[in-house]
Amino acid sequence: MKKQLLAASLLALMGTAPLAHAADYAIDTKGAHASVNFKVKHIGFSWLTGRFNKFDGQFSYDAENPTASTIEVNIDTTSIDSNHAERDKHIRSGDFLNVSKFPTARFVSTKVVKDDDNELNIHGNLTLHGVTKPVVIDVEKVGEGKDPWGGYRVGFEGSTTISMREFGIEHKLGDLADTVELELHVEGIRK
């Protein structure tokens, strides 16, 4: 016990605290406490909004050292839902997502930069339509703590913008319709 106190005192005097360990979380898709949404201009006149109904993922997060965090998300592109069956069929076709050839999109973080107290920039690689490109997701921590069922949760929201053409999706919906805004809401349950 004396050795532990002495080590902690020495670390405190040196200005170094003992390292906290990151916790691993599963994204809570079963409880519907997470979503992957999109928004794209429809021929420049209005917004087409939708979401992906099936996805999963996990992340590692340490509030004391958020730059050591990692995240991995897999999206079932066949689950796209724009609230219009015929349009969804067209989005799944070779004109857009080509889900028969590319049924999964994937994001894997490569680094995390702390921007502000509750804000992070998550850099990573997004694979969509068979093309992998670097993207940055601007993220804000919503909150964390014990849940009523004896577990521990942490939640984030984030957004990024991608170009369909950069991911090999060439079909045009008008000059203003190349940019897709992605919005993510993630609640993780500590494993």
Side-chain angles (χ1 to χ4, degrees):
M1 179 71 168
K2 287 182 182 179
K3 288 181 183 179
Q4 291 174 337
L5 287 173
L6 179 62
S9 298
L10 287 173
L11 288 170
L13 287 173
M14 294 173 17
T16 306
L19 294 175
H21 296 288
D24 294 327
Y25 294 82
I27 296 174
D28 185 12
T29 55
K30 291 180 183 173
H33 295 118
S35 63
V36 177
N37 307 317
F38 67 89
K39 180 168 102 169
V40 61
K41 284 198 173 173
H42 182 254
I43 60 175
F45 302 132
S46 64
W47 288 102
L48 166 66
T49 61
R51 66 188 205 164
F52 292 93
N53 291 324
K54 295 180 184 174
F55 61 96
D56 62 37
Q58 64 249 342
F59 60 93
S60 178
Y61 176 71
D62 177 359
E64 298 299 317
N65 186 16
T67 59
S69 300
T70 61
I71 185 167
E72 178 183 314
V73 178
N74 301 295
I75 301 169
D76 178 348
T77 57
T78 67
S79 73
I80 196 159
D81 182 353
S82 69
N83 199 32
H84 189 275
E86 286 302 310
R87 178 175 47 227
D88 292 346
K89 184 177 175 182
H90 188 208
I91 295 171
R92 288 183 190 108
S93 78
D95 285 347
F96 292 101
L97 294 178
N98 196 3
V99 300
S100 62
K101 188 172 181 183
F102 307 109
T104 305
R106 179 176 170 88
F107 176 80
V108 178
S109 64
T110 56
K111 79 175 179 178
V112 176
V113 177
K114 187 173 180 178
D115 191 31
D116 203 349
D117 282 342
N118 285 325
E119 296 178 6
L120 304 168
N121 295 324
I122 300 179
H123 297 249
N125 292 316
L126 175 64
T127 302
L128 174 68
H129 199 251
V131 177
T132 302
K133 294 279 184 184
V135 299
V136 178
I137 302 173
D138 299 322
V139 173
E140 183 175 346
K141 181 176 157 187
V142 177
E144 71 176 299
K146 292 180 181 179
D147 64 27
W149 308 280
Y152 194 88
R153 296 173 184 251
V154 62
F156 299 91
E157 64 181 3
S159 63
T160 192
T161 302
I162 63 169
S163 161
M164 286 191 283
R165 285 187 197 99
E166 287 182 8
F167 286 91
I169 301 170
E170 300 293 334
H171 191 80
K172 287 183 79 172
L173 289 174
D175 292 333
L176 301 175
D178 178 57
T179 302
V180 178
E181 296 179 24
L182 295 172
E183 185 180 272
L184 305 102
H185 300 274
V186 174
E187 183 174 300
I189 302 171
R190 187 183 289 167
K191 294 181 181 181

